[in-house]
Amino acid sequence: GDTLYPQILVYKLGNRYDSAKLSLDALQGHDREVAKHLEAVCLQTGSYFYLADLEKTITGDTEEDEDYWDYRAGCYSYRGSSECSHRSMIGDGEVSNILSHVVDLSGKRIAEKIRIEGEELLETRLSEHRRPDEEEYDGDSLTHYYRETVCWLCPTSFVRCC
């Protein structure tokens, strides 16, 4: 049978970059070399190549023991501890991936908010083995936010890109 492949691909860069200055010229070291190679592949295959910010959010349930947590100085900590920590999520949670501040290689803004599917991420474990960049807890649900700078590749025939 036919194997289905994602129509677009998102590749995580090694560093995070300032959205206001995001362009090929702003990329450094290995990230710049990777971007140049991906740009060449896109030119050969007739695909678009963009840079963007990716925000991955995971929302789910957490332990509800309020006596166990203190919130101060912008982070949660175990009661009696001075070290920042983050609440643990029970289960996998609901995942959302949004590309924001999408720019062409010169830094010209192309789009602002585009939802993508997890299978379109070349590196699907963006949130494993690291603390979230931000966390919200409303007493009912917990949301972890992870932010990355990425390369976004899609064929010219893919209407969602244009």
Side-chain angles (χ1 to χ4, degrees):
D2 292 336
T3 302
L4 296 177
Y5 297 99
Q7 288 290 312
I8 66 173
L9 296 174
V10 175
Y11 176 81
K12 177 185 150 324
L13 293 172
N15 297 297
R16 289 202 47 212
Y17 295 90
D18 181 357
S19 298
K21 299 176 184 174
L22 191 56
S23 69
L24 180 60
D25 289 339
L27 302 183
Q28 300 172 358
H30 181 72
D31 289 342
R32 187 177 177 87
E33 292 306 311
V34 167
K36 286 181 179 179
H37 289 291
L38 291 174
E39 177 187 26
V41 168
C42 287
L43 287 171
Q44 292 173 0
T45 61
S47 299
Y48 288 112
F49 178 68
Y50 300 115
L51 299 169
D53 293 323
L54 171 68
E55 181 175 83
K56 177 178 184 174
T57 59
I58 305 173
T59 302
D61 296 323
T62 187
E63 299 291 333
E64 293 188 30
D65 186 1
E66 288 302 318
D67 293 333
Y68 196 60
W69 293 96
D70 274 336
Y71 185 80
R72 65 179 180 282
C75 71
Y76 289 95
S77 63
Y78 296 111
R79 202 160 296 276
S81 170
S82 61
E83 289 188 33
C84 276
S85 186
H86 291 279
R87 293 175 179 264
S88 296
M89 199 166 293
I90 300 171
D92 291 336
E94 182 180 326
V95 178
S96 170
N97 295 294
I98 304 288
L99 290 175
S100 63
H101 192 76
V102 180
V103 298
D104 66 13
L105 296 181
S106 70
K108 179 183 173 193
R109 183 173 294 191
I110 302 299
E112 188 49 43
K113 297 240 184 233
I114 300 169
R115 182 175 303 278
I116 61 170
E117 302 300 322
E119 64 268 10
E120 295 168 339
L121 296 171
L122 289 176
E123 187 174 338
T124 57
R125 299 179 192 183
L126 291 175
S127 57
E128 282 189 18
H129 308 297
R130 68 171 270 213
R131 291 176 181 231
D133 295 309
E134 185 182 338
E135 149 179 298
E136 288 180 4
Y137 179 64
D138 65 7
D140 196 30
S141 67
L142 173 67
T143 302
H144 283 170
Y145 297 88
Y146 301 88
R147 296 180 182 93
E148 304 289 350
T149 302
V150 299
C151 297
W152 181 33
L153 298 78
C154 62
T156 54
S157 61
F158 190 52
V159 176
R160 203 165 115 194
C161 271
C162 303

